[in-house]
Amino acid sequence: MNFSMILYILGWILEFEAGFMLLPCIVAAVYGEEQGIVYFMVAVISAFIGFWIVRKKPKNKVFYTREGFVVVALSWLLLSFVGALPFIFTGEIPKIEDALFEIVSGFTTTGASILTDVEALSHTSLFWRSFTHWIGGMGVLVFILAILPMTGGYNMHLMRAESPGHQVGKLVPRVRESAMILYKIYFVLTLSQIIILLIAGMPLFDSLTLSFGTAGTGGFGIRNDGIASYTYAQQTIITIFMAVFGVNFGVYFLIVQKKFKQAVKAEEVRYYLCVLITATLIIAVNIKDMFSSFGEALHHSAFQVSSIMTTTGYSTVDFDLWPSEAKTILVLLMFIGACSGSTGGGMKVSRILILAKTIKKELLSLIHPRSIKKIQIEGRVIEHEVLRSVNVFFAAFMLIVAGSVFLISFDGCDFSTNFTAVAATINNIGPGLSKVGPMTNYSHFSAFSKLVLIFDMLIGRLEVFPMLLLITPATWKKG
């Protein structure tokens, strides 16, 4: 284990987080809020410690998969701990477990909250919690790879450990250039949404915070009613951009490169859009009697389907009041999630697609034992290593879901609350059903249950294995 290199990267995490915290300081200056002093002090201390760590570069820069997974898990833990300090020191979220829950929910782009009155927070803290969505959406280590001229054999290991999806490939030969391309696309799309919302009449602060939440598919709102009080036009813009950020960013790269035929052939994106549209229409028909017109039902159905499938978590209505058929579809969409290589969470459409094709292959093998079938996506044969990885991921994912539901059941909540709370946190969505529905929050859970759900949020965002490796004793043994 290359501890010196791990510590070096953690030092840069502190440096970059200090830089990120200067933005809420600017917001505090604009609105004349004293909370900005706390953010500034935390930023200064973080920058000082980070500078002390990174001042000396490690001699050994060799970095393999194990170190990559470990440093990613540690980075997110450190990022969350430091990011929670302003909430505690300002007194806006005084309990440590609550502050950690809120900030982990922010960085992992979950959007689950323990706040009973969001509007009671200062503009400074509202901006910070929304901005953490934007930071966590693409990944802070991907950002570091894009900015710093780091060399060595570890870059791709970091990118694979942090990026969502069953496989991460380089868009161009150099990892740093790939990271730069991803963040340029991310920035342009975010800026586009901010501008369009401003044109639609949304205030600047709202446009910034909601765009951060949409881009990172996070879902932290700045009003107690979520997105309900915004105009239909503004809600429609958010609906479209949620769906946009759920697409594999590799497809956008192909479009930028004018490789339209390859972009159109993206099988995962086609299935993603197919599920999105089909679910929207089915739910719209199911809930049409709850609204004045089918058009209104279609509007809210499209918003919630886009929000849940991309794991953003915004809401325009209390979908917990919808018929059971509609709620069942939404829960299923929680697990499917968005595309690999997007900012969305969930299991990812590509994994579900591979699992479905694996089942079909096994059924055909039973019917025709001597036949040899290969699983293909976009005309390319899926290697056995990828199939094994997907199967192991699915098994580990479902075991963690079952274990987490059991652990939080001691709080005495009903099964619907417990199951959807775990589903919503491990899939990085936010709202669930019943006591964790879109119009409620997670404040009623015990400190222990909150820690379980925090672990689930991190597990979901980091695709299970980095967090599991961190707590596996064999990881820390030599050899």
Side-chain angles (χ1 to χ4, degrees), residues 50-114:
F51 175 76
W52 184 80
I53 294 173
V54 303
R55 74 189 195 284
K56 185 179 180 181
K57 293 184 179 180
K59 294 179 181 179
N60 180 14
K61 294 185 178 181
V62 178
F63 214 69
Y64 297 112
T65 303
R66 180 172 63 167
E67 284 93 342
F69 277 57
V70 166
V71 79
V72 164
L74 289 175
S75 294
W76 280 73
L77 289 173
L78 180 62
L79 196 71
S80 300
F81 175 77
V82 176
L85 294 179
F87 289 153
I88 299 170
F89 293 149
T90 59
E92 292 184 285
I93 308 179
K95 291 184 179 179
I96 295 175
E97 68 272 16
D98 286 347
L100 279 173
F101 187 97
E102 199 74 13
I103 203 67
V104 169
S105 182
F107 280 123
T108 60
T109 71
T110 304
S113 180
I114 49 80

Side-chain angles (χ1 to χ4, degrees), residues 213-361:
T214 306
T217 60
F220 273 153
I222 59 173
R223 297 183 183 180
N224 290 329
D225 64 358
I227 311 296
S229 58
Y230 294 101
T231 67
Y232 270 29
Q234 292 164 353
Q235 291 174 0
T236 301
I237 292 166
I238 294 172
T239 301
I240 294 169
F241 273 95
M242 285 190 293
V244 165
F245 281 104
V247 173
N248 190 321
F249 274 53
V251 173
Y252 295 136
F253 173 73
L254 292 174
I255 293 172
V256 170
Q257 295 293 310
K258 297 182 180 180
K259 298 178 180 179
F260 301 113
K261 289 184 178 180
Q262 287 180 253
V264 172
K265 290 180 180 179
E267 189 174 355
E268 181 188 25
V269 176
R270 294 204 306 271
Y271 276 98
Y272 163 74
L273 294 174
C274 182
V275 172
L276 204 67
I277 294 168
T278 304
T280 296
L281 293 174
I282 293 173
I283 291 178
V285 171
N286 189 237
I287 64 173
K288 67 181 188 301
D289 294 335
M290 300 181 69
F291 297 94
S292 58
S293 66
F294 180 74
E296 187 180 3
L298 186 64
H299 169 83
H300 291 294
S301 174
F303 188 96
Q304 292 309 150
V305 168
S306 185
S307 178
I308 296 298
M309 188 168 183
T310 63
T311 71
T312 306
Y314 284 141
S315 59
T316 55
V317 293
D318 187 359
F319 56 78
D320 193 33
L321 301 176
W322 287 0
S324 59
E325 297 89 346
K327 290 192 289 187
T328 301
I329 292 172
L330 291 178
V331 171
L332 292 174
L333 293 178
M334 287 183 182
F335 285 93
I336 295 173
C339 297
S340 297
S342 70
T343 60
M347 293 182 65
K348 306 294 182 301
V349 175
S350 59
R351 285 197 182 99
I352 301 298
L353 189 58
I354 289 172
L355 286 170
K357 290 190 175 188
T358 301
I359 293 171
K360 181 181 177 181
K361 173 180 174 294

